[in-house]
Amino acid sequence: MSKKQKLELTWVGKENRPRLEPRILIEDPAKSYHAAARVTENDIFDNVLIHGDNLLALKALEADYAGEVKCVFIDPPYNTGSAFTHYEDGLEHSIWLGLMRDRLEIIRRLLSDDGSLWITIDDNEVHYLKVMCDEIFGRVNFVTNVVWQSSDNSNNDAKQFSTDHNHILVYSKKPDWLTNKTRGNDEQYGHFKNTDNDPRGPWFDGNPLGSPAYRENLIFDLISPQGHKIKPPANGWRWSKETLSEKIKTGEIRFTPNGKAIRRRTYLWEQKGLPPSTLWTNLDETGHNRQAKFEQKKLFPEWTKEEWFGTPKPERLLKRILDIATSPGDLVLDSFAGSGTTGAVAHKMGRRWVMVELGDHCATHIVPRLQKVIEGSDQGGISKVVEWQGGGGFRYYDLGPSLLETDKWGREVISKRYDAAMLAQALCKLEGFTYAPSSDVWWQQGYSSETDFLYVTTQTLGPEELAALSDDVGDGRSLLVLCAAWRGNADHFTNLTLRKIPNHIRSKCEWGHDDYSLNVANLPMAEADPVPPTSAQGGLFDGEGDI
C-alpha cells in the first residue's frame, strides 16, 4: 500500500471541522441566584449555568477549565430519525457523529487527568459512538458499557423486543482510572445483623484472618474456655498473642459455642465498599424514567403536561454516577443540561458544576429548579438521602455575540455590541491570554506569563505614544498591542508586538456563526417525498439534553 492505513469509523463530512470562535460569557445578574446566608461551611457559590449553543459554550470554557473537570455526564439526543426523514439513508448518522465528534474532542481537553466521561445513549447510535470515542479517547481509555434498566415496566405492544434499558458509555482521560468503591444497596449487606445489640452496629461472623506470610512468633495455640486446643492457620495468626487476647476481651474475636473454633466479628461500618457493577437493575438504587417524570411533576405541580420533559433522568442515577466518579468539591460538567438534573444532584452532593443549555427552558425551567434546590424547598429526588437543607448558588451566563459583524459594505468589522472591556476580554481568549485588567498599570489587560502582557485599543497609535508605551513596559517584559493602526516604524520597539484589528483576527474563526446544533447544508436530498428540508430540521441539538 502507498500510505499507512488505520482502523477508523468514517462518515460523510468527517473531514469538515468548524473553526470555532471562543466567545466571552456575559453574566445576567437577574437570573443568577444564591442563598441569603450560608447553610454550611462547604456551601458552593461559583457554579455556572450557560445559555447558548453548547459547542460554542464548550469552546468558551476551554481557556479557563481545560484539565479541570473531574466528571462529564452528557445525555445527548439519541438521533431520532424524525429530524432527518427527508435525507438519504445514512446521512443522519453522519450528521449526528460529526456533531458529537466536535463536542467530545473539546470535552476530552476539559477533563482532568483523573477525570471520566459518562454518556447515556440507546441502541440507535451506541455502537457507532463507541468506535468514535475509541478514536478520540483511545481504546485503552474505554472503561465499560454500563447497562442501566431505565424502564420499570415492559412495553407489551412492542413488535419485536421491549426496550427496557439504556447504555452508559464510560471513558477515562488516562489509563488506569479508578472508580470510587461504593457501599451498594442494602441487599448486598443483608447478612449483617445485630442480634445482641452490639454498640458497634450490625455485624457478621467470619473466620479470623491468618497472617499473609509465615511468622514464627505468630504460631501459637489458643485454649478455649471449654479446654479445647485451637491450632493456628498455616502461616500463624494475624495478630500477636497479646493483641488476640485483647480482641477476645472486646468481643471482636469470640469462641464458638462448642469451644472448638474462633470467629471474627466483622462490622458493617468497617466495609470500604465494593467495585460498581456494570449491570444496574436495582430500580431503588438508580431509579427509572417514570420515577423521574414523577419527581418533575412533584417539584412543579403547576406545569402542564406539554411543559414536562419527555425523558428526564432520575436523580438517583446521577447520584450513582457521581458517587463512583467524584468526591465532594470536584467539578462536574453537563453540556446537554435539559431540565438541570445533573446540576441539581451535583449541588446537593457538594460538587461544583457547570451546565450548558441552548433552549429557552434554561431560564424557564432550570433556573427555578435550581432556586428550589438552593432554598432547600426541593426535598424530592435524593434530598432526604443526602440530608439536603439548601445553600450555595450559581451564576447565569449568556454567550457573548460574535466579535466581528458584517457592515453594509460587506466588510467584517468589530461588533457595535462590544464595549472596551468586552473587546479586551474577547481578544485575550483569541490570543491565548488570561483576561485580568490591572488596576495599577493601564496597559496590562491580560497576560500569558509573568512578563508577557496584552493591550487593546481601537485608536491609532502615533510614534510618541508607542515610545512612551515601550518605555513604560521596560526591559525584561513584552507587550502584544492590538490596535486599529499605528504610525512609525514598529521595529524600533523591541518589547512591543503590534497587530492591527480586525485584520489580524479575520482568518482565525468562523465569525457570526451562532448555531452549531444542526448543519445540513449541501446534503443530497432523497428522491422520494419532495418536502422542503426546513420542515424536517427539528434541530438535532435544539432543546439539548433531556435530563
Side-chain angles (χ1 to χ4, degrees):
M1 294 185 180
S2 59
K3 65 178 182 178
K4 187 177 180 181
Q5 291 184 316
K6 65 177 181 178
L7 179 66
E8 64 176 321
L9 178 66
T10 61
W11 62 85
V12 176
K14 182 179 181 180
E15 69 283 0
N16 299 327
R17 291 177 179 271
R19 293 164 48 246
L20 299 172
E21 175 188 359
R23 301 286 183 92
I24 63 173
L25 300 175
I26 302 174
E27 184 178 2
D28 185 343
K31 297 185 178 73
S32 299
Y33 195 78
H34 62 82
R38 286 187 175 272
V39 177
T40 72
E41 294 181 355
N42 300 318
D43 288 359
I44 299 173
F45 293 88
D46 61 346
N47 302 299
V48 174
L49 176 59
I50 301 172
H51 175 231
D53 180 272
N54 70 357
L55 184 56
L56 286 171
L58 288 170
K59 185 65 177 177
L61 291 169
E62 191 173 3
D64 295 324
Y65 289 93
E68 298 294 324
V69 180
K70 186 65 174 293
C71 176
V72 177
F73 173 86
I74 56 174
D75 182 34
Y78 291 176
N79 193 9
T80 54
S82 59
F84 303 97
T85 303
H86 305 287
Y87 292 103
E88 289 184 349
D89 183 41
L91 285 175
E92 68 273 18
H93 299 292
S94 294
I95 298 169
W96 191 87
L97 289 167
L99 293 169
M100 288 299 299
R101 186 270 313 274
D102 298 337
R103 287 156 173 79
L104 290 172
E105 287 183 336
I106 301 178
I107 284 173
R108 185 183 181 278
R109 296 194 290 269
L110 293 174
L111 280 174
S112 61
D113 285 347
D114 59 350
S116 60
L117 166 67
W118 302 65
I119 312 174
T120 53
I121 197 74
D122 70 359
D123 288 333
N124 285 316
E125 294 291 350
V126 62
H127 306 293
Y128 293 97
L129 181 61
K130 164 65 165 70
V131 177
M132 184 177 68
C133 285
D134 284 346
E135 191 172 323
I136 296 170
F137 287 84
R139 289 188 69 178
V140 68
N141 292 312
F142 170 68
V143 178
T144 193
N145 175 17
V146 173
V147 177
W148 167 52
Q149 184 180 343
S150 55
S151 175
D152 65 334
N153 59 335
S154 295
N155 180 6
N156 295 328
D157 297 325
K159 301 291 186 186
Q160 295 173 322
F161 289 88
S162 173
T163 302
D164 300 330
H165 73 283
N166 280 154
H167 302 269
I168 306 177
L169 294 182
V170 185
Y171 280 82
S172 59
K173 175 73 172 286
K174 299 285 187 180
D176 303 321
W177 174 80
L178 297 176
T179 64
N180 295 329
K181 292 185 177 181
T182 59
R183 280 285 302 272
N185 57 67
D186 293 340
E187 293 177 1
Q188 293 173 292
Y189 299 95
H191 56 295
F192 284 84
K193 308 291 184 183
N194 194 3
T195 55
D196 58 355
N197 296 318
D198 190 318
R200 286 164 288 191
W203 53 268
F204 84 97
D205 273 343
N207 291 323
L209 297 177
S211 174
Y214 181 81
R215 298 273 297 277
E216 183 70 32
N217 64 316
L218 300 180
I219 302 293
F220 54 86
D221 294 335
L222 288 177
I223 305 299
S224 71
Q226 293 88 338
H228 296 291
K229 183 184 294 185
I230 303 173
K231 294 291 184 181
N235 287 336
W237 300 109
R238 190 176 183 88
W239 308 278
S240 66
K241 182 177 289 188
E242 293 75 15
T243 301
L244 192 55
S245 297
E246 184 61 30
K247 289 181 179 295
I248 291 172
K249 288 180 181 178
T250 63
E252 181 181 342
I253 302 294
R254 59 197 182 91
F255 294 94
T256 57
N258 61 13
K260 294 183 178 181
I262 60 173
R263 293 288 182 264
R264 182 189 181 197
R265 183 166 287 193
T266 301
Y267 293 94
L268 180 60
W269 63 266
E270 296 177 313
Q271 304 311 296
K272 304 296 185 184
L274 301 170
S277 169
T278 58
L279 184 62
W280 294 1
T281 59
N282 188 314
L283 300 180
D284 290 333
E285 184 178 347
T286 57
H288 51 81
N289 286 336
R290 192 161 61 88
Q291 180 188 62
K293 293 178 182 178
F294 175 76
E295 291 174 356
Q296 181 180 224
K297 183 178 179 180
K298 187 176 180 181
L299 187 61
F300 291 101
E302 68 276 13
W303 285 0
T304 65
K305 189 174 182 179
E306 289 72 25
E307 292 176 299
W308 296 348
F309 281 80
T311 54
K313 295 294 182 288
E315 289 197 8
R316 293 183 190 181
L317 175 68
L318 270 298
K319 180 182 183 300
R320 175 71 167 153
I321 291 171
L322 297 187
D323 276 336
I324 294 169
T326 68
S327 299
D330 286 340
L331 180 61
V332 177
L333 167 67
D334 184 350
S335 55
F336 294 88
S339 64
T341 301
T342 301
V345 172
H347 203 98
K348 295 176 185 179
M349 294 178 67
R351 276 67 167 167
R352 296 176 295 133
W353 55 264
V354 175
M355 293 194 295
V356 182
E357 178 53 48
L358 172 64
D360 291 339
H361 54 274
C362 188
T364 61
H365 289 62
I366 298 179
V367 168
R369 177 178 187 175
L370 294 173
Q371 288 175 343
K372 287 179 178 285
V373 172
I374 291 166
E375 293 165 356
S377 59
D378 173 10
Q379 287 301 304
I382 67 165
S383 293
K384 289 183 171 58
V385 175
V386 300
E387 299 180 342
W388 177 248
Q389 300 298 319
F394 67 91
R395 295 184 182 275
Y396 184 103
Y397 293 91
D398 288 299
L399 279 177
S402 183
L403 178 57
L404 298 189
E405 63 184 15
T406 304
D407 67 12
K408 62 182 179 181
W409 290 284
R411 300 173 303 186
E412 287 179 325
V413 297
I414 301 294
S415 171
K416 296 181 180 64
R417 291 182 284 179
Y418 272 75
D419 60 24
M422 292 169 61
L423 178 60
Q425 185 180 359
L427 290 173
C428 278
K429 273 185 176 286
L430 277 168
E431 297 296 328
F433 283 67
T434 299
Y435 177 65
S438 171
S439 58
D440 301 318
V441 184
W442 58 272
W443 47 264
Q444 288 185 10
Q445 295 177 318
Y447 67 89
S448 65
S449 70
E450 292 181 355
T451 58
D452 187 31
F453 303 93
L454 177 143
Y455 169 59
V456 178
T457 177
T458 55
Q459 302 300 312
T460 297
L461 301 178
E464 299 83 3
E465 293 166 302
L466 291 175
L469 186 57
S470 179
D471 289 342
D472 202 9
V473 173
D475 296 331
R477 296 193 294 189
S478 58
L479 180 66
L480 173 60
V481 181
L482 301 173
C483 57
W486 68 87
R487 298 189 305 275
N489 189 346
D491 294 336
H492 289 168
F493 311 105
T494 57
N495 57 358
L496 303 183
T497 300
L498 295 152
R499 296 289 184 266
K500 293 181 181 180
I501 53 172
N503 294 359
H504 172 61
I505 63 173
R506 280 194 176 114
S507 62
K508 287 182 177 288
C509 308
E510 297 171 346
W511 304 103
H513 197 151
D514 295 321
D515 184 4
Y516 288 89
S517 61
L518 180 59
N519 180 12
V520 294
N522 301 320
L523 290 180
M525 297 294 297
E527 295 182 4
D529 194 355
V531 177
T534 53
S535 67
Q537 296 177 25
L540 182 59
F541 285 7
D542 291 352
E544 297 171 308
D546 46 18
I547 68 168

